[in-house]
Amino acid sequence: MNYSLRCIRCGREYDGGEVIYTCACGGLLEALLDISSLEIDKREYEGVPLSVWKYKKLIPIEREPITIKEGGTPLYRCKRLGEKIGVKDLYVKHEGLNPTGSFKDRGMTVGVTKSLELGMKTVACASTGNTSASLAIYGAKAGIPVVVLLPGGKVALGKVAQALMHGAKVIEIKGNFDDALEIVRRLCDEEKFYLLNSINPYRLEGQKTIGYEVADELGWDAPDRIILPVGNAGNISAIYKGFRELKELDWIDEIPKMTGIQAEGSAPIVRAFRERKRDIVAEKKPETIATAIRIGDPVNAVKALAAIYESGGMAETVTDDEIIVAQKDLARLEGIGVEPASATSLAGLKKLVEKGEIDRDERIVCITTGNLMKDPEEVVNVCDRPIEVEASLEAVKKALKEM
Ligand code: F0G
């Protein structure tokens, strides 16, 4: 198949074999999928286990993929959590159970494979942590050097550990994620590194499979609403594209309402949504306990806002305290361990239900994007420490009474 990329702003098309991330007009690019030319029937998917590459025909890659078995994450029906929040039909898709512990693997299996297809010699990204961990691991698997730029002191320990152990060149800058992204974009231009942040349209082609999997698991019936955290705003755009394609294929009837949640101290998309704007004003000093989404100038804002408006969705903020409550609820009511950013989806749902903006009868899927073990330091800060006692049965029994 001959793939092309199209600018979402001016419509200009580029050959899919070009190394290009944005249009000459500055607009964001999107991979074009010529649905009408595809020979594909959803019945061929019956009984095939879920994974990113289950949907190979819908992904613009020709060569054998670089894969460590990403996707196929569980979609849990969450009765206890649903009861607590007061909604009837709640599911959580736990993307933290991907091989490197976040949804980024779906994008990286496609993005790193594309880098080899394009003959690139080095891959690079800026990251709040998960992207760099995932890129380090897929780069290692592909045997290609990896360069990552991190905001110094603001990346959760588990994520830095992954990037280091898997052999990436890790550089911490004295600045935030937005600064790191600006630098790495210029670095990639000058050094001919392949940029694998979510501005890369191919990465989003992997992430759109979250939408495919949700619909597939529900018997090709899309939920009423998808709720997820928003940082650089790639994932909400990707999942929306996935559902749009399923609608075009006529495999689902309706596209879910895309609902994006940001942390209060880092919420440019929510502010734009409140003013019904189609683009954002960047936030200079984003701050939140959810370091994964501590982003003031999301590059995919225009795509994300379009996804929200076109699907009839919404955007909402949550406080750090609300994030911690939701993180504990997920862990203690459903056994789902997530990092703070991921808990924003649940915290956002709770808030929107309380405000009367979400119908209690809706079928809702919250996406939990990253694993609890990514951020052990946050856990230590928000949970009670273990109690230390003498090594005797009496001391243990006494301690238990006090807990
Ligand atoms: N949740 C987690 C756990 C993340 O790591 C990220 C993004 C998001 C949500 C937001 O997704 O950017 O597509 O809107 N992390 C990036 C990174 C920025 O560098 O790891 P988004």
Side-chain angles (χ1 to χ4, degrees):
M1 201 201 287
N2 196 15
Y3 302 109
S4 53
L5 299 171
R6 184 172 57 193
C7 173
I8 64 159
R9 187 200 282 170
C10 75
R12 180 168 167 185
E13 286 188 28
Y14 295 86
D15 186 276
E18 244 184 89
V19 178
I20 185 165
Y21 311 103
T22 49
C23 181
C25 81
L28 296 166
L29 299 174
E30 187 168 78
L32 269 185
L33 197 67
D34 184 4
I35 298 274
S36 57
S37 75
L38 289 174
E39 281 177 31
I40 192 166
D41 185 328
K42 70 179 173 189
R43 278 174 303 190
E44 68 195 65
Y45 289 128
E46 265 170 39
V48 180
L50 297 175
S51 77
V52 168
W53 295 103
K54 172 173 181 176
Y55 313 100
K56 194 170 194 311
K57 283 188 182 170
L58 298 164
I59 298 173
I61 288 288
E62 307 275 9
R63 88 189 283 287
E64 233 358 79
I66 302 297
T67 171
I68 49 172
K69 297 198 185 293
E70 45 294 314
T73 54
L75 181 69
Y76 298 120
R77 181 79 215 281
C78 292
K79 276 194 77 175
R80 295 181 71 203
L81 203 47
E83 272 165 25
K84 179 162 182 196
I85 293 174
V87 291
K88 286 204 180 119
D89 205 6
L90 175 63
Y91 293 80
V92 168
K93 181 135 176 96
H94 192 15
E95 286 294 297
L97 294 182
N98 271 292
T100 84
S102 84
F103 70 97
K104 307 287 180 179
D105 298 350
R106 294 180 186 268
M108 288 308 175
T109 182
V110 174
V112 170
T113 304
K114 182 55 78 178
S115 75
L116 299 185
E117 240 176 48
L118 296 171
M120 303 305 281
K121 301 283 181 263
T122 298
V123 288
C125 70
S127 182
T128 56
N130 282 319
T131 297
S132 60
S134 187
L135 185 58
I137 291 163
Y138 282 85
K141 182 78 179 173
I144 186 170
V146 175
V147 174
V148 307
L149 264 58
L150 306 179
K154 289 292 183 180
V155 177
L157 187 61
K159 306 173 188 181
V160 184
Q162 288 176 295
L164 291 173
M165 176 51 87
H166 290 279
K169 291 180 184 165
V170 181
I171 297 172
E172 288 195 342
I173 63 150
K174 293 178 183 164
N176 64 24
F177 170 83
D178 303 302
D179 303 321
L181 183 56
E182 197 198 315
I183 296 169
V184 85
R185 287 177 75 167
R186 284 168 40 207
L187 182 73
C188 286
D189 276 349
E190 289 185 14
E191 301 294 323
K192 306 287 170 244
F193 296 165
Y194 193 51
L195 178 64
L196 276 168
N197 280 98
S198 56
I199 190 133
N200 183 318
Y202 288 113
R203 232 193 75 187
L204 302 188
E205 289 301 289
Q207 290 173 212
K208 74 183 180 183
T209 60
I210 295 176
Y212 293 173
E213 282 189 11
V214 167
D216 192 340
E217 266 194 288
L218 296 175
W220 299 111
D221 185 16
D224 298 309
R225 187 181 298 277
I226 296 277
I227 308 182
L228 75 163
V230 172
N232 218 14
N235 210 27
I236 190 169
S237 314
I239 297 174
Y240 176 60
K241 183 172 191 280
F243 282 115
R244 247 169 50 212
E245 289 169 353
L246 296 182
K247 179 97 181 355
E248 218 181 314
L249 282 159
D250 213 15
W251 294 2
I252 60 169
D253 295 330
E254 295 289 339
I255 293 176
K257 298 177 176 68
M258 301 302 302
T259 302
I261 312 297
Q262 296 197 292
E264 204 168 76
S266 182
I269 299 221
V270 180
R271 279 206 307 278
F273 173 76
R274 285 180 185 149
E275 294 168 16
R276 303 306 284 178
K277 291 202 176 124
R278 292 218 156 235
D279 203 356
I280 55 152
V281 177
E283 205 156 287
K284 291 273 177 293
K285 291 197 184 318
E287 208 45 83
T288 166
I289 192 173
T291 51
I293 53 171
R294 185 175 169 272
I295 295 175
D297 191 10
V299 288
N300 289 298
V302 173
K303 274 188 184 174
L305 284 162
I308 291 168
Y309 294 133
E310 286 165 15
S311 68
M314 53 184 103
E316 184 57 276
T317 57
V318 289
T319 64
D320 283 359
D321 286 344
E322 288 165 339
I323 291 172
I324 296 163
V325 169
Q327 187 188 24
K328 288 183 175 170
D329 282 347
L330 276 160
R332 296 172 186 188
L333 295 176
E334 299 291 348
I336 301 173
V338 304
E339 64 168 287
S342 307
T344 59
S345 53
L346 251 296
L349 167 64
K350 187 160 175 277
K351 190 172 236 173
L352 289 166
V353 168
E354 280 164 5
K355 283 169 94 175
E357 301 213 25
I358 288 184
D359 190 336
R360 293 176 187 274
D361 291 333
E362 287 183 19
R363 174 172 279 188
I364 297 161
V365 174
C366 287
I367 312 290
T368 52
T369 44
N371 196 292
L372 171 73
M373 290 179 283
K374 292 280 191 170
D375 197 348
E377 288 161 313
E378 184 262 351
V379 176
V380 171
N381 289 333
V382 303
C383 293
D384 293 336
R385 304 278 171 105
I387 298 179
E388 199 183 9
V389 298
E390 292 305 321
S392 75
L393 178 60
E394 293 68 37
V396 169
K397 284 165 93 173
K398 184 164 172 284
L400 275 175
K401 279 205 187 104
E402 285 162 14
M403 284 172 102

